[in-house]
Amino acid sequence: MARLETLISPEREQREFVNGLKCGSCNHSFPDQATYVCPDCVAPGLEVSYDYDGLKTYIARQGEWLRPEHSMWRYASLLPCRELPRVGFYTGMTPLVEAKNLGRAIGAERLYLKDDSVNRPTLSYKDRVVSTAVNKALEFGFEAVGCVSTGNVSNSVSALAAEAGLPAFVVVPQNTEKGKLIGSLIYGAKVIVVRGNYDEANNLCKQLAQVNKNLGFANINLRSYYSEGAKSLVYEMAEELGWRLPRHIILPLAGATLLIKTAKAITELQTLGLIDSSPVKIYGAQAQGSAPIANAFEANADSITPVTPNTVASSLAIGNPGDGMAALRAVRNTGGKIGYVSDSEIIEGMKLLARTEGIFAEAAGGTTVGFAKKLFEQKLIPPDEETVVVITGNGYKTPDPVLGSLSRIEEVDYNLDQLRQAVNF
Ligand SMILES: *Cc1c(COP(=O)(O)O)cnc(C)c1O
Ligand SMILES: [Zn+2]
């Protein structure tokens, strides 16, 4: 494959620092395997563990631990693949942009956006996690790869499975937007709509994964590997800022993969001495109509009460988040905050972002922008402290939420006077 030779330097050996999987509950370690549930104590949530001491020595000895690829695989030493990546050559390395106009509008003097609305191949942060999962599916030799999704994971799985030459199937809830269905069908994936919500589709897929062991489910049996891919967003942010991190990071929050892996990536960079140990506060933004983690945060609760989602932010519509408790702990540890914004604040956030920075994000981006606005207005973040707002998805896929609140389109005849009147400047 020519592309592999040009984009992956064959002379640069891939040094591996992955140990395998480790259970957070019983602490037992396991070799690589496609299960998210501990084989010993059946607790969910096996974590990929690394040889950080070995990696620290390697980094100190040669500055070449960063691979030359212009993609998330630049950080392959901190990702769980054991072979050179075979898909995802364009994933990651999205821009960190200074947002002066948006900052002025919300009272933030040092504001940045990490813009995964232009992540590739399918314009959301999910390309990072799915690139990792599909490479792992190839390593394990699965015959087909699938997922359960609110839309963006299914787009990523469909595109990256096509690149890998694997058949793909994607399972989505009934309310999934047309733009996202098309964004899976175009790659030749089998698209299955469950008449129900995401949590119901998820339950079905978990049961299917139990009985069909020849299938790789990106976010079920491959989940431990999948979720690791999210760390690349933070590594990029650190490198783009000159190997340091901002004081505050504001993220959207649904299943909570991105948030808990942000916390893990920060700890890793500090453990490895790649950044100093200045504290970084993490903030999670939910939609009011799907805010089980924010509710628990505000009630100072030690458990999460599932909800039935009802929000325009369909990629955040997860009512029973798998990693919700871990997200609560992570945010409490950093002194950050989890909150929610209403659907109208989400739509205002989408329009504000577009009109100040020229970025059309999907509703998840309106959610983080809306929450950032609240945090600065309520002086919960001081105006002069450096803050990164993460934009996770692209608005061109799902324009529906803003359709009703945009200005009217004017129509004119083939007539100059009418045109002059319409332009009216
Ligand atoms: C999946 C998704 C999220 C939420 O991420 P979690 O890791 O599930 O919390 C946010 N924004 C977009 C655009 C997504 O697709
Ligand atoms: Zn265990």
Side-chain angles (χ1 to χ4, degrees):
M1 221 202 276
R3 192 156 58 182
L4 199 113
E5 278 157 23
T6 49
L7 291 178
I8 304 281
S9 305
E11 74 277 9
R12 185 86 68 82
E13 115 198 69
Q14 159 89 30
R15 283 292 309 270
E16 253 185 52
F17 297 94
V18 195
N19 287 335
L21 297 176
K22 193 167 180 188
C23 173
S25 297
C26 73
N27 251 350
H28 291 177
S29 295
F30 306 94
D32 272 356
Q33 54 194 287
T35 174
Y36 183 59
V37 178
C38 175
D40 285 354
C41 75
V42 301
L46 289 175
E47 275 288 317
V48 179
S49 70
Y50 299 85
D51 170 16
Y52 294 120
D53 289 338
L55 182 52
K56 200 167 177 177
T57 311
Y58 181 66
I59 290 169
R61 226 183 30 238
Q62 50 170 335
E64 295 197 340
W65 74 280
L66 292 169
R67 297 190 54 85
E69 290 85 353
H70 190 74
S71 75
M72 63 181 278
W73 300 109
R74 181 167 172 76
Y75 313 98
S77 305
L78 282 164
L79 295 170
C81 297
R82 293 186 184 272
E83 297 169 4
L84 286 177
R86 283 183 267 172
V87 300
F89 299 115
Y90 309 105
T91 307
M93 299 306 269
T94 60
L96 182 77
V97 296
E98 200 177 350
K100 285 218 164 90
N101 299 337
L102 177 61
R104 217 171 289 123
I106 68 173
E109 290 159 20
R110 295 166 72 199
L111 189 71
Y112 293 85
L113 303 169
K114 177 65 174 164
D115 187 10
D116 263 21
S117 76
V118 292
N119 201 12
R120 288 181 292 170
T122 66
L123 309 177
S124 87
Y125 115 77
K126 293 301 188 331
D127 290 326
R128 299 176 184 276
V129 280
V130 174
S131 285
T132 313
V134 172
N135 276 301
K136 234 31 216 181
L138 288 167
E139 283 183 23
F140 286 124
F142 282 113
E143 292 164 26
V145 62
C147 66
V148 55
S149 168
T150 59
N152 283 327
V153 177
S154 69
N155 291 177
S156 293
V157 164
S158 305
L160 290 158
E163 189 181 7
L166 284 177
F169 61 96
V170 305
V171 181
V172 297
Q174 203 160 22
N175 66 346
T176 305
E177 302 97 329
K178 201 169 162 205
K180 287 182 176 167
L181 296 176
I182 295 167
S184 295
L185 288 167
I186 187 68
Y187 304 106
K190 197 175 273 185
V191 176
I192 300 146
V193 173
V194 171
R195 292 187 207 103
N197 62 27
Y198 174 83
D199 299 291
E200 290 165 332
N202 188 23
N203 281 339
L204 276 186
C205 285
K206 279 183 181 163
Q207 292 171 42
L208 181 62
Q210 287 290 319
V211 290
N212 265 20
K213 301 273 186 201
N214 60 331
L215 301 176
F217 276 88
N219 48 0
I220 298 179
N221 57 4
L222 293 167
R223 188 173 186 86
S224 305
Y225 305 102
Y226 160 96
S227 56
E228 284 288 290
K231 298 186 305 180
S232 61
L233 184 142
V234 179
Y235 305 148
E236 286 171 22
M237 196 189 292
E239 189 175 10
E240 285 165 304
L241 289 169
W243 295 108
R244 55 180 193 84
L245 284 172
R247 192 118 173 80
H248 310 275
I249 300 178
I250 305 175
L251 304 157
L253 187 52
T257 298
L258 180 58
L259 192 143
I260 64 172
K261 293 297 169 161
T262 293
K264 183 174 180 181
I266 294 169
T267 305
E268 287 178 333
L269 292 174
Q270 291 176 337
T271 303
L272 293 167
L274 287 162
I275 60 172
D276 70 25
S277 54
S278 312
V280 181
K281 291 189 182 184
I282 302 177
Y283 301 79
Q286 297 213 284
Q288 184 168 21
S290 184
I293 311 175
N295 294 341
F297 185 87
E298 290 192 350
N300 215 1
D302 280 324
S303 64
I304 289 181
T305 309
V307 302
T308 304
N310 178 16
T311 170
V312 292
S314 60
S315 27
L316 304 183
I318 296 181
N320 189 11
D323 291 317
M325 281 310 301
L328 269 183
R329 278 192 296 271
V331 171
R332 283 175 180 155
N333 278 341
T334 70
K337 192 174 160 54
I338 301 175
Y340 58 71
V341 289
S342 68
D343 277 3
S344 60
E345 287 170 314
I346 290 171
I347 290 165
E348 282 314 304
M350 291 172 76
K351 286 160 69 173
L352 182 64
L353 178 63
R355 286 161 194 205
T356 53
E357 298 298 334
I359 294 173
F360 185 11
E362 70 165 74
T367 307
T368 45
V369 169
F371 193 50
K373 183 165 181 271
K374 267 194 176 165
L375 290 168
F376 282 100
E377 277 173 4
Q378 296 174 5
K379 310 265 183 268
L380 292 166
I381 298 181
D384 59 344
E385 292 192 358
E386 200 168 47
T387 302
V388 173
V389 174
V390 178
I391 305 299
T392 46
N394 197 301
Y396 286 101
K397 279 190 200 184
T398 58
D400 320 29
V402 291
L403 280 182
S405 65
L406 299 175
S407 53
R408 203 167 53 86
I409 296 169
E410 297 212 33
E411 210 175 295
V412 298
D413 294 324
Y414 181 56
N415 176 307
L416 183 58
D417 282 342
Q418 283 186 22
L419 180 60
R420 284 182 65 178
Q421 230 170 44
V423 171
N424 193 26
F425 281 118

